[in-house]
Amino acid sequence: MKYFYFYLAVVNVIGFFLMRYDKEQSKRSRWRVSERRLFAYAAAGGALGVWAGMLAFRHKTKHWSFVLGVPALLVVNAACVYAVLTRVPIGTE
């Protein structure tokens, strides 16, 4: 279980700093991080980090796909973490 917590911490820190990096790159008109990559990190468990990066750096806050999509992925991430922690099989009734 400690590896699971480590994974979540790492993917969220990476998501947070990817938002920072992309914001800096946008200010300098340089090569950017793709939106697909940002969403991939959010979907892989890093939605909290990406969302925190959005708020901290005021980045992608005018893009509705991020404003709605990242919090939605955060809810999905939270449900998956809950399922793992309580060992509830996903998709069973």
Side-chain angles (χ1 to χ4, degrees), residues 13-55:
V13 167
I14 290 172
F16 181 80
F17 284 109
L18 273 178
M19 292 300 281
R20 177 179 176 214
Y21 176 76
D22 192 49
K23 177 70 173 194
E24 292 300 317
Q25 293 296 86
S26 70
K27 287 180 182 178
R28 295 184 175 103
S29 297
R30 292 188 173 173
W31 194 267
R32 306 276 303 276
V33 178
S34 69
E35 291 185 356
R36 178 182 282 178
R37 181 169 302 221
L38 294 171
F39 272 115
Y41 273 94
L48 183 61
V50 171
W51 192 42
M54 282 178 59
L55 299 176

Side-chain angles (χ1 to χ4, degrees), residues 47 72-85:
L73 284 172
L74 181 59
V75 171
V76 172
N77 287 179
C80 290
V81 168
Y82 176 78
V84 168
L85 293 179

Side-chain angles (χ1 to χ4, degrees), residues 41-78:
Y41 273 94
L48 183 61
V50 171
W51 192 42
M54 282 178 59
L55 299 176
F57 308 117
R58 287 185 256 154
H59 188 51
K60 302 282 188 192
T61 56
K62 293 183 180 180
H63 296 254
W64 284 106
S65 60
F66 279 85
V67 171
L68 299 175
V70 173
L73 284 172
L74 181 59
V75 171
V76 172
N77 287 179

